[in-house]
Amino acid sequence: MIALKIVYIANILVAGWISITSLYYPKKAVLTVFENAYPYSEVIRLVGSLWGAIFILSIVGLWYPKKMALVLLFQLLYKGSWVLFVMLPAILHKQPYPNGMGLFFIIWCAVLPFVIPWKDIFLTA
């Protein structure tokens, strides 16, 4: 349970900062979050709203860690997909991608399978 709360706190810190930056200062997010790997577009704000939802759900996860674990499963799926379908091809083709984000996503994909309470998600009473 403590590991879950640590993950939610990390989500609150990281997703909260990325969300606020992407929604309210998207041109700054292009420089910092996305490391100038992508040009500015309104998609930055769309991504900011996704991370805003994760931020809010992670706050709820502090009080209901097991019930909110689907948020972590969602993160595992979308971050893993991004690594496989965006980051790895960018590396292979020597194209730019946000290195910091990529490193964070890889770490998160390595940690989450050990933190997610799989039985609580998939077992029904």
Side-chain angles (χ1 to χ4, degrees), residues 1-10 12 61-65 115:
M1 190 84 76
I2 300 237
L4 275 174
K5 289 189 177 188
I6 290 170
V7 168
Y8 289 126
I9 290 169
I12 291 165
L62 290 175
W63 284 274
Y64 305 100
V115 176

Side-chain angles (χ1 to χ4, degrees), residues 39-80:
Y40 170 78
S41 77
E42 285 300 306
V43 172
I44 300 295
R45 288 190 166 148
L46 176 65
V47 170
S49 64
L50 167 72
W51 278 326
I54 291 169
F55 166 71
I56 292 167
L57 293 172
S58 293
I59 291 171
V60 176
L62 290 175
W63 284 274
Y64 305 100
K66 289 183 179 180
K67 289 182 180 181
M68 299 309 295
L70 281 175
V71 172
L72 304 178
L73 179 58
F74 172 73
Q75 284 187 285
L76 179 62
L77 293 172
Y78 95 78
K79 288 177 192 304

Side-chain angles (χ1 to χ4, degrees), residues 97-115:
Y97 69 94
N99 296 323
M101 184 184 298
L103 178 62
F104 179 76
F105 280 19
I106 289 171
I107 291 168
W108 225 227
C109 288
V111 168
L112 287 179
F114 298 101
V115 176

